[in-house]
């Protein structure tokens, strides 16, 4: 696994990493570019998914196979609700790691 300090700044490489994460259900997270901001990275992940033909949405919109939240704080009940309504949904949330590195984390299914 890459150290967050080694996150690529090349957009092509970043997009490849994001798509690998989206298609590989076993990966728990993907990191973005330092100082990108977690909300901007959630937007980037949603856009990359849509560009690749995946149906993604950002909460409160729940119309997607992938449902992203800008943060996990205060969102856990909503995440559970999404999974209760659609157990196959891939629920993810944004998080800011140390050194200002954003990440998108896959919410663990019960």
């Amino acid at each position: 696994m890459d150290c967050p300090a080694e996150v690529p700044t090349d957009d092509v490489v970043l997009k490849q990493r994001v798509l690998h994460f989206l298609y590989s259900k076993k990966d728990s997270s993907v990191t973005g570019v330092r100082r990108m901001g977690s909300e901007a990275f959630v937007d980037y992940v949603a856009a990359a998914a849509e560009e690749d033909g995946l149906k993604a949405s950002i909460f409160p919109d729940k119309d997607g196979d992938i449902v992203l939240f800008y943060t996990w704080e205060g969102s856990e009940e909503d995440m559970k609700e999404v999974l209760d309504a659609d157990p196959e949904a891939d629920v993810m949330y944004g998080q800011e790691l140390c050194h200002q590195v954003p990440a998108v984390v896959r919410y663990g299914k019960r």
Side-chain angles (χ1 to χ4, degrees):
M1 181 171 172
D2 294 339
C3 170
E6 298 172 2
V7 173
T9 56
D10 183 327
D11 189 58
V12 173
V13 173
L14 180 60
K15 187 169 183 179
Q16 289 173 343
R17 288 170 38 94
V18 166
L19 291 176
H20 174 79
F21 166 71
L22 292 173
Y23 285 105
S24 176
K25 304 292 185 195
K26 65 182 178 180
D27 291 347
S28 60
S29 65
V30 63
T31 54
V33 178
R34 186 170 187 243
R35 296 188 182 166
M36 181 180 201
S38 61
E39 286 189 17
F41 190 48
V42 167
D43 290 337
Y44 180 89
V45 170
E50 289 285 331
E51 287 174 16
D52 208 59
L54 299 170
K55 191 169 184 181
S57 62
I58 298 175
F59 189 82
D61 182 4
K62 299 181 254 185
D63 185 32
D65 300 318
I66 299 169
V67 179
L68 293 123
F69 289 76
Y70 282 116
T71 183
W72 65 271
E73 294 174 351
S75 301
E76 192 164 12
E77 287 303 314
D78 292 321
M79 290 183 215
K80 288 178 182 177
E81 185 179 303
V82 169
L83 285 174
D84 287 342
D86 181 3
E88 297 303 312
D90 205 359
V91 177
M92 304 171 187
Y93 59 89
Q95 184 171 341
E96 200 74 39
L97 303 178
C98 61
H99 303 292
Q100 302 171 336
V101 175
V104 168
V105 180
R106 185 168 273 121
Y107 182 72
K109 296 183 179 180
R110 300 181 300 286

